[in-house]
Amino acid sequence: MKKTYQAEPFRIKMVEPIKQTTRAERITLLKNAGYNPFSLKSDDVYIDLLTDSGTGAMSQNQWAAMMMGDEAYAGSRSFYRLESVVKKITGYAYFIPVHQGRGAEKVFLPQLVKHPGMYYISNIHFDTTRAHVELAGARAIDSVIEACYDLDQDHPFKGNFCLETLEKVILEKGPQEIAGIIMTITNNSAGGQPVSMENLRAVKKIADHYGIMTIIDGARYAENAYFIKEREQGYQDKDIIDIAREQFSYADVFLMSAKKDGLVNMGGLIAIKNRKDLYDLCRTYVVPYEGFPTYGGLNGRDMDALAVGLEEALDEHYLRYRIDQVRYLGDKLRAAGVPIQYPIGGHAVFVDCKRFAPHIPFDQFPALSVTNAVYIEAGVRGVEIGSLLLGRDPDTKENLESRTEFMRLTIPRRVYTSSHMDVVADAVIAVYQNRKELKGYRFTYESPILRHFTSTFEPIL
Ligand code: P61
């Protein structure tokens, strides 16, 4: 067989120095941060895997495009450039820029809530999406396949909707009570897991049958398209852009945090297939919330960078490198016996801390314990996605127990090399080998909302 040679599909033209600290320094830095990695200064982090959101590196073409930005308040040339790219990719008629994903959620989601107590159904609502559903007076129901929670099960599309639950909820609540169906692609909370085209098609069919609108929450829609090409029968010879377009054909609306597959540091968008009435409503509300509809909270230059980034993110060579890099890290961990969500998702490796530290109960936050130990080991920052993030029951005030306790190692796009991934893997494996020594945590201050960001802790010795 002919050998293929593969490495990062770019060379590095500008570098940002990063600093290594000593273990003794990191012990003090973490203590001073109240044992909450969100409170660390990024200068004190060697390899930062907190998020892939807005943390990617832009290309020379994106930086060059920024010089062409038109900063006009109304009718900016940069808006029209971005609009033509969004329309080309989605095939939709209407487009409004916003400053980031949650801006799109804030402007759009209330428009379908005709009275309080309606429901949005999603494979899994991302946390900001859930927050905006609730702020709009609606409730969020998740309907993901059960395989998603069987972390070792080798299923190609663990982000899929459970169609039975979806239909059951529609019938139970009544179709007129469903504000919309939100397809999160890839499914972030499930481990960056993809959703198959067959599943999207089936959801659309159910939605049409009951007269319900479908919305794509597509922060990572290009990564999803790549997985479809790789894994779903009939898509191997298709271009990524055609797969992306077919994905969009099964929705009426596309909401995007462009900080992921838009390859920019800040940005978002709302695109609407053909509902002029909804477009008019969003245009009305975007003005007080985000800004005039031809900038929506973005600089002209940022819209130019996004126009280029959206196209670059659909490049198959880029996507292969991207997905392979995440897989490289995940495979290394798995080979060393570290339990992870498998198959490995698109943007992150999700380490299963229930099995990593089974001696730590959920309300002492096993994934926080592992995350902090990995920081002390090598200055690598991951993020807890488990019971700490989930919070408390609003009525009983009890700590809720998450079905999964993950440390997410989220890989920024085009930022780190495979040597960085080797350091991350070595650090996690070293912590795994000493996992019996890991301690749980208790609060020294618990923030009343979104507690994972600002609470402080102490280890339970
Ligand atoms: C992330 F700790 N994700 O994964 P915005 N939809 C989806 C997302 O993944 C998403 C948004 C909408 C983040 C950033 C983040 O508590 C947190 O541009 C599928 O961030 O507003 C964002 O897009 C929202 C991290 C957000 C968090 C909230 O890391």
Side-chain angles (χ1 to χ4, degrees):
M1 221 171 66
K2 221 169 147 200
K3 184 162 171 46
T4 55
Y5 297 92
Q6 267 176 26
E8 286 82 359
F10 51 80
R11 53 189 176 185
I12 297 164
K13 176 145 41 185
M14 187 189 284
V15 294
E16 179 183 355
I18 47 177
K19 193 178 76 181
Q20 264 186 299
T21 47
T22 63
R23 173 181 283 266
E25 283 168 338
R26 289 192 292 275
I27 288 172
T28 307
L29 288 163
L30 192 62
K31 186 164 183 252
N32 293 343
Y35 295 98
N36 184 343
F38 277 98
S39 297
L40 290 167
K41 290 184 179 158
S42 87
D43 273 351
D44 296 328
V45 174
Y46 181 42
I47 300 173
D48 201 351
L49 306 187
L50 183 76
T51 179
D52 63 329
S53 183
T55 52
M58 293 209 297
S59 68
Q60 59 180 4
N61 287 335
Q62 286 180 284
W63 283 108
M66 286 187 79
M67 300 307 287
M68 304 300 289
D70 172 2
E71 306 303 337
Y73 191 95
S76 159
R77 183 173 64 234
S78 308
F79 166 81
Y80 291 108
R81 204 170 286 145
L82 177 58
E83 184 187 52
S84 79
V85 172
V86 172
K87 286 184 173 177
K88 185 176 95 182
I89 293 173
T90 58
Y92 290 4
Y94 305 109
F95 157 68
I96 300 173
V98 286
H99 85 280
Q100 66 180 98
R102 64 201 75 182
E105 291 160 357
K106 182 175 179 187
V107 171
F108 179 78
L109 293 177
Q111 307 311 332
L112 301 184
V113 182
K114 293 186 201 78
H115 57 83
M118 288 183 79
Y119 298 88
Y120 275 102
I121 312 174
S122 175
N123 40 353
I124 304 185
H125 292 83
F126 183 66
D127 66 358
T128 56
T129 322
R130 177 176 287 271
H132 279 292
V133 163
E134 288 169 4
L135 284 168
R139 300 203 198 119
I141 299 178
D142 293 336
S143 165
V144 72
I145 55 169
E146 200 48 34
C148 162
Y149 296 107
D150 182 355
L151 304 188
D152 286 328
Q153 190 181 326
D154 190 358
H155 187 297
F157 293 103
K158 274 187 169 176
N160 277 356
F161 273 85
C162 173
L163 300 172
E164 292 76 38
T165 309
L166 174 66
E167 199 154 8
K168 198 168 129 232
V169 172
I170 295 172
L171 289 172
E172 256 172 35
K173 308 291 181 195
Q176 71 289 348
E177 294 302 310
I178 312 298
I181 298 174
I182 301 175
M183 305 154 150
T184 313
I185 61 172
T186 56
N187 192 341
N188 186 357
S189 316
Q193 296 294 319
V195 179
S196 72
M197 198 71 91
E198 186 189 16
N199 194 252
L200 293 177
R201 203 178 295 127
V203 171
K204 176 68 174 159
K205 202 169 159 204
I206 293 172
D208 282 350
H209 179 73
Y210 293 106
I212 300 167
M213 289 193 75
T214 50
I215 298 131
I216 284 184
D217 175 3
R220 302 176 181 87
Y221 78 94
E223 292 172 9
N224 202 75
Y226 182 84
F227 280 116
I228 288 175
K229 176 160 178 137
E230 187 185 66
R231 297 180 182 173
E232 195 162 348
Q233 220 194 338
Y235 288 91
Q236 278 68 47
D237 296 327
K238 294 219 157 115
D239 287 341
I240 296 289
I241 181 133
D242 293 326
I243 299 174
R245 279 205 196 105
E246 187 180 342
Q247 291 179 157
F248 291 123
S249 77
Y250 300 127
D252 304 295
V253 177
F254 171 37
L255 307 181
M256 182 184 196
S257 166
K259 301 171 71 166
K260 286 82 169 174
D261 281 352
L263 297 175
V264 289
N265 304 117
M266 193 59 69
L269 59 90
I270 301 172
I272 299 174
K273 190 186 264 172
N274 52 23
R275 286 278 302 271
K276 171 89 169 49
D277 57 327
L278 273 178
Y279 169 63
D280 287 341
L281 274 170
C282 290
R283 248 181 10 145
T284 304
Y285 283 97
V286 83
V287 175
Y289 289 153
E290 298 282 302
F292 191 74
T294 61
Y295 76 86
L298 292 175
N299 297 310
R301 56 182 171 271
D302 291 341
M303 291 191 279
D304 274 298
L306 177 54
V308 177
L310 283 170
E311 302 222 69
E312 286 182 1
L314 288 168
D315 179 85
E316 199 174 324
H317 295 110
Y318 154 74
L319 280 169
R320 181 178 308 125
Y321 140 76
R322 162 75 179 150
I323 304 291
D324 278 359
Q325 187 178 48
V326 179
R327 221 173 261 164
Y328 174 78
L329 174 61
D331 283 342
K332 275 200 131 182
L333 294 178
R334 199 156 178 260
V338 177
I340 59 170
Q341 166 71 295
Y342 186 82
I344 296 146
H347 66 297
V349 177
F350 284 64
V351 176
D352 174 12
C353 297
K354 266 195 181 175
R355 279 185 291 169
F356 199 118
H359 58 289
I360 302 179
F362 78 95
D363 54 0
Q364 294 178 16
F365 313 124
L368 177 70
S369 175
V370 176
T371 304
N372 282 347
V374 170
Y375 174 72
I376 289 174
E377 182 65 26
V380 173
R381 173 161 70 172
V383 66
E384 194 265 8
I385 308 259
S387 296
L388 172 59
L389 181 90
L390 191 62
R392 290 182 184 270
D393 183 298
D395 300 320
T396 68
K397 308 290 178 218
E398 290 293 313
N399 269 315
L400 293 169
E401 181 171 2
S402 174
R403 280 187 79 174
T404 47
E405 303 285 353
F406 287 127
M407 167 178 67
R408 187 180 75 171
L409 300 167
T410 338
I411 319 289
R413 294 168 181 77
R414 309 192 288 205
V415 169
Y416 293 115
T417 65
S418 36
S419 320
H420 291 111
M421 295 303 115
D422 291 340
V423 170
V424 176
D426 289 349
V428 175
I429 292 164
V431 172
Y432 187 65
Q433 280 158 358
N434 292 314
R435 59 192 179 279
K436 292 205 171 68
E437 287 165 25
L438 291 169
K439 303 275 185 279
Y441 280 85
R442 66 174 151 245
F443 288 106
T444 49
Y445 161 72
E446 184 176 353
S447 166
I449 33 174
L450 292 175
R451 63 184 187 175
H452 58 295
F453 288 128
T454 49
S455 294
T456 55
F457 305 88
E458 63 185 6
I460 303 169
L461 300 173

